[in-house]
C-alpha cells in the first residue's frame, strides 16, 4: 500500500516525555487513517542537538524539507504556537493542503 505522507505539527509540550507520548498518539491515529505520519519531534531530537545553533538550523531545514515532500499538513491539538504558524505558512507557500486531525477524522467518518 502506498500511503501519502502526512506531516504532523502541533504546539508541543515543553516536557519532551509528554510531547513524545502525545506525538505517538497523533501518529497512530493518522496511521490508522491510511497515512504515513511524518513527525520530526519523534526522531530528530534523537540525533540533533538544539543547543548548538547550527544544528538547530539544520533541524529546522530538515523539517521543512519533510513538510515540502508531504502530501498534507495535519495540525494536531487545540493550541497554535509559532512553530505551527510557520508550518502552515510553509504549506501555503508550497500549496500543500492543511487540515486538523479532527478534520481528517470527520472526513473519514471516524472519531478517535
Amino acid at each position: 500500500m502506498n500511503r501519502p505522507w502526512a506531516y504532523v505539527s502541533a504546539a508541543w509540550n515543553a516536557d519532551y516525555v509528554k510531547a513524545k507520548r502525545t506525538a505517538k498518539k497523533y501518529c497512530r491515529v493518522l496511521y490508522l487513517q491510511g497515512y504515513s505520519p511524518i513527525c520530526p519531534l519523534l526522531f530528530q531530537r534523537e540525533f540533533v542537538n538544539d543547543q548548538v545553533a547550527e544544528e538547530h538550523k539544520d533541524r529546522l531545514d530538515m523539517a521543512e524539507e519533510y513538510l515540502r515532500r508531504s502530501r498534507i499538513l495535519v495540525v494536531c491539538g487545540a493550541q497554535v504556537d509559532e512553530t505551527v504558524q510557520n508550518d502552515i505558512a510553509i504549506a501555503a507557500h508550497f500549496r500543500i493542503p492543511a487540515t486538523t486531525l479532527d478534520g481528517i477524522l470527520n472526513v473519514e467518518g471516524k472519531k478517535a
Side-chain angles (χ1 to χ4, degrees):
M1 170 191 277
N2 189 8
R3 294 171 176 265
W5 282 17
Y7 187 93
V8 179
S9 183
W12 303 113
N13 191 304
D15 179 347
Y16 178 64
V17 173
K18 289 180 182 177
K20 189 173 179 178
R21 183 172 45 244
T22 302
K24 285 180 178 181
K25 285 192 327 188
Y26 294 153
C27 288
R28 178 71 181 165
V29 170
L30 285 168
Y31 167 76
L32 293 173
Q33 294 302 312
Y35 293 91
S36 289
I38 304 299
C39 185
L41 176 85
L42 291 178
F43 65 91
Q44 284 184 325
R45 291 196 183 184
E46 299 297 323
F47 62 87
V48 176
N49 182 354
D50 264 341
Q51 302 304 315
V52 177
E54 184 177 336
E55 290 190 27
H56 175 76
K57 183 182 180 326
D58 287 345
R59 182 184 62 76
L60 295 176
D61 289 346
M62 287 186 286
E64 181 178 324
E65 182 65 24
Y66 286 118
L67 174 54
R68 289 179 57 207
R69 292 175 182 225
S70 296
R71 177 95 40 94
I72 190 167
L73 166 65
V74 182
V75 177
C76 302
Q79 297 179 337
V80 173
D81 64 4
E82 184 179 344
T83 301
V84 175
Q85 290 174 344
N86 287 339
D87 289 342
I88 292 168
I90 291 167
H93 178 76
F94 290 104
R95 294 185 173 94
I96 299 165
T99 188
T100 62
L101 186 58
D102 285 340
I104 295 279
L105 294 171
N106 288 334
V107 167
E108 298 291 329
K110 303 171 188 168
K111 199 70 175 164

